[in-house]
Amino acid sequence: MSRDELWAMAHAERAALADDLADLNDRQWEARSLCGQWTVEEVVAHLTAAASTGRIRWLVSVFGARFDFEEHNARRLAEHRGATPAETLDRFRAIITSTTAPFGHPAAWLGEVVVHGQDIRRPLGLPREPSIEAVTEVARFFASRDFTVRSRSVIEDLRLEATDGPFATGTGPLVSGTTIALTMAMAGRAAYCDDLTGPGLPTLRSRL
């Protein structure tokens, strides 16, 4: 799939997430996401930061944080979080069509919005899922390398097969489920193991 096609998918997933966020109340904005200690609003600010930071600015930020990536992320998140959830959402809407990224393949930044979108939706019980085409591209990318998460390492010597699409990879004990569940598990979200089955599942779960 071309870079332009991958960016178009990322833009579509950002737009869909913005629509899902439009009707959240204050309690929902403050809810804990699946992304560590971050709230829903903090995850949205992080997505805005990622789409607003080019390579040089990213390097300056990382050097300024002395390669403490948690500090780097916290600073950029604070920079792009609004004074209110509505302002945070407005800032996110402003980057929906951005192709700015610090480095890496567009599939990585498609993965950024796919994974963080579900980090938000699942705890809030929001039913929408990304398109199967977008998630399949992210699943293939995650299975091929360790990028910002140990996605390739956690599925080593396992066979993953999607039940709703063409994604399949690896050899070994089988883990099966929807493409989004497999993708989120590769991204380290143990909650999605509840949506998976197969003899390889205990091994995968233990690695998360």
Side-chain angles (χ1 to χ4, degrees):
M1 189 167 288
S2 72
R3 295 177 66 89
D4 287 346
E5 288 172 314
L6 290 168
W7 276 121
M9 285 184 173
H11 298 161
E13 294 305 326
R14 287 173 185 164
L17 179 58
D19 288 345
D20 283 347
L21 296 168
D23 295 325
L24 298 190
N25 58 41
D26 288 344
R27 179 184 57 80
Q28 290 173 309
W29 278 104
E30 295 169 0
R32 184 68 53 84
S33 74
L34 293 185
C35 189
Q37 300 300 309
W38 285 353
T39 65
V40 167
E41 185 177 4
E42 287 169 334
V43 173
V44 175
H46 170 73
L47 284 169
T48 303
S52 305
T53 307
R55 180 171 300 180
I56 293 175
R57 192 175 181 190
W58 183 88
L59 288 170
V60 169
S61 178
V62 169
F63 279 117
R66 298 182 180 182
F67 292 92
D68 182 335
F69 286 94
E70 288 190 6
E71 176 66 19
H72 156 74
N73 278 329
R75 288 179 179 181
R76 300 288 69 76
L77 183 157
E79 178 185 357
H80 292 280
R81 184 176 184 175
T84 64
E87 185 177 348
T88 299
L89 178 55
D90 285 343
R91 292 181 179 188
F92 178 65
R93 287 189 184 279
I95 57 84
I96 283 176
T97 60
S98 170
T99 56
T100 298
F103 52 84
H105 196 276
W109 305 105
L110 173 59
E112 179 91 347
V113 66
V114 164
V115 170
H116 285 319
Q118 296 310 109
D119 283 340
I120 289 168
R121 291 185 179 111
R122 184 154 176 133
L124 296 181
L126 301 177
R128 193 198 315 248
E129 292 185 351
S131 73
I132 191 67
E133 294 80 10
V135 183
T136 298
E137 291 300 318
V138 176
R140 289 170 175 162
F141 181 82
F142 282 2
S144 69
R145 71 200 77 186
D146 291 338
F147 187 59
T148 58
V149 292
R150 295 178 57 253
S151 51
R152 184 177 183 273
S153 296
V154 299
I155 62 169
E156 187 174 3
D157 299 323
L158 295 173
R159 172 69 176 174
L160 271 60
E161 291 184 4
T163 56
D164 61 346
F167 174 70
T169 189
T171 58
L174 176 66
V175 180
S176 63
T178 62
T179 314
I180 190 63
L182 292 170
T183 299
M184 294 299 289
M186 284 191 282
R189 275 51 173 185
Y192 275 84
C193 286
D194 294 342
D195 300 350
L196 301 174
T197 61
L201 180 57
T203 298
L204 177 60
R205 191 187 293 272
S206 72
R207 292 174 179 174
L208 302 182

